[in-house]
Amino acid sequence: MKFKSKYLIYLFFSLLVFPFLVFIIFNTRDLVVDFFRPTTGLVNRFFSKPFHFVSDIVTDSRALFSTFEENKILKKELSDYQTLVSENNSLKSENVSLRESMELFERYQERKYITAEVISRLSSTWTSELVLSKGRQDGVTENMLVLANNGVVGTIISIEDDSSTVQLLSDDFYAPSIPVKIEGANPTYGILSDYDARNHVFRITQLNQTSGVEVGQTIVTSDFSESYPANIFIGTVSTVIDDKDKLGIEVLVTPSVDFSRIYNVILVGRDI
């Protein structure tokens, strides 16, 4: 009987305390949350900083790698485009050279000639010499005139079995001494003595007469030469200089050729 009384007292006390505890918990929950919220935010920020830092590095690295790859692709595309442009320009120049060679064939069709291609032209000797694809076994001989794009560009100075070397008239250290004729009613004869690289003109000296030469007259190889074929077009008179100190005149000639673009040539000699 006594045990039941204690049980009832405990039960009664619990029923009174439980609602009170529930009330306390629900009413103080916001206070507890508010109390710990600053600390929780600080902890979150403290631990999240390194993760954000690493994440930013990874993102930046990916962007940098992507930019690098894109840059490499663009450089390759630009290089390919420049190569195509260069090849296209080279082909255009070669086509022009071939058309001009055809004109030379028609102009000198009564002559026998040898056709050849330029196989070597170094930048260090660009204005002085080049190498051709034909040689001794093809009938090439020394002192043959080399023609390209409408006129004479040089002479053969060295011959191998399957190649030959051309001395270009554009070499300002070379004295070709080619006999020439200034065409007219009374032709004037002289010597093609050198090339003025600064003004891009030939110089003719040792003329057989001091009058009758005019600007615009045509210059060809002399028909009295013992070494070179006659009547090969060289250029036109651009200036006549009265040199009183030398008791004569000098004639400046504009070449008929463009020495910068020589791809295909025709070789003409006296004995061919």
Side-chain angles (χ1 to χ4, degrees):
M1 187 69 180
K2 186 181 280 189
F3 174 76
K4 288 184 178 181
S5 297
K6 287 183 178 182
Y7 177 77
L8 291 173
I9 291 171
Y10 289 146
L11 179 61
F12 179 74
F13 181 77
S14 298
L15 292 173
L16 290 176
V17 172
F18 179 74
F20 178 74
L21 289 175
V22 172
F23 175 78
I24 293 297
I25 290 172
F26 276 95
N27 282 277
T28 59
R29 182 186 60 181
D30 293 338
L31 293 175
V32 173
V33 171
D34 291 340
F35 177 77
F36 285 104
R37 180 175 293 154
T39 304
T40 303
L42 181 62
V43 171
N44 287 337
R45 286 195 298 274
F46 177 78
F47 283 103
S48 66
K49 283 289 184 181
F51 290 106
H52 286 306
F53 179 72
V54 173
S55 176
D56 290 342
I57 290 177
V58 172
T59 301
D60 292 343
S61 298
R62 287 175 178 172
L64 181 61
F65 181 76
S66 176
T67 302
F68 175 77
E69 288 296 317
E70 182 180 359
N71 183 264
K72 187 164 66 172
I73 292 171
L74 288 174
K75 282 184 176 180
K76 185 179 183 306
E77 290 178 351
L78 178 60
S79 176
D80 291 344
Y81 174 75
Q82 290 173 336
T83 300
L84 286 173
V85 170
S86 178
E87 290 178 352
N88 184 52
N89 290 336
S90 178
L91 287 173
K92 285 182 178 179
S93 297
E94 288 186 35
N95 288 339
V96 171
S97 179
L98 285 170
R99 283 195 295 270
E100 290 169 340
S101 294
M102 292 298 296
E103 293 177 3
L104 288 174
F105 295 154
E106 294 176 1
R107 183 182 303 171
Y108 304 113
Q109 58 183 333
E110 76 283 357
R111 300 174 185 266
K112 293 182 179 180
Y113 50 77
I114 299 172
T115 61
E117 294 180 356
V118 176
I119 58 175
S120 176
R121 190 178 186 183
L122 303 178
S123 58
S124 58
T125 56
W126 184 263
T127 61
S128 59
E129 64 180 41
L130 51 79
V131 180
L132 302 178
S133 61
K134 299 292 179 68
R136 187 176 294 107
Q137 64 186 13
D138 303 293
V140 178
T141 59
E142 289 188 3
N143 290 329
M144 294 183 76
L145 290 181
V146 182
L147 284 59
N149 54 66
N150 291 326
V152 180
V153 296
T155 61
I156 297 294
I157 57 170
S158 176
I159 308 171
E160 302 295 336
D161 286 340
D162 57 357
S163 65
S164 54
T165 302
V166 178
Q167 172 67 61
L168 294 173
L169 299 183
S170 58
D171 184 357
D172 53 358
F173 295 104
Y174 173 56
S177 299
I178 298 176
V180 296
K181 176 176 66 175
I182 303 174
E183 293 187 323
N186 184 21
T188 301
Y189 293 88
I191 299 294
L192 186 70
S193 59
D194 58 63
Y195 178 74
D196 183 348
R198 177 178 296 180
N199 298 305
H200 306 290
V201 293
F202 293 127
R203 190 189 314 275
I204 297 178
T205 58
Q206 303 179 41
L207 280 76
N208 68 322
Q209 58 184 7
T210 59
S211 61
V213 180
E214 299 179 355
V215 173
Q217 286 183 294
T218 299
I219 311 296
V220 297
T221 54
S222 173
D223 41 13
F224 295 123
S225 173
E226 295 181 355
S227 302
Y228 302 104
N231 299 311
I232 303 297
F233 185 45
I234 292 177
T236 55
V237 175
S238 59
T239 307
V240 179
I241 301 173
D242 187 359
D243 194 342
K244 295 180 180 179
D245 294 335
K246 295 182 180 180
L247 301 177
I249 63 172
E250 287 186 351
V251 176
L252 302 184
V253 178
T254 300
S256 60
V257 302
D258 181 355
F259 288 101
S260 65
R261 52 179 190 85
I262 304 173
Y263 301 96
N264 303 278
V265 301
I266 298 174
L267 309 181
V268 181
R270 285 187 60 86
D271 299 327
I272 186 171

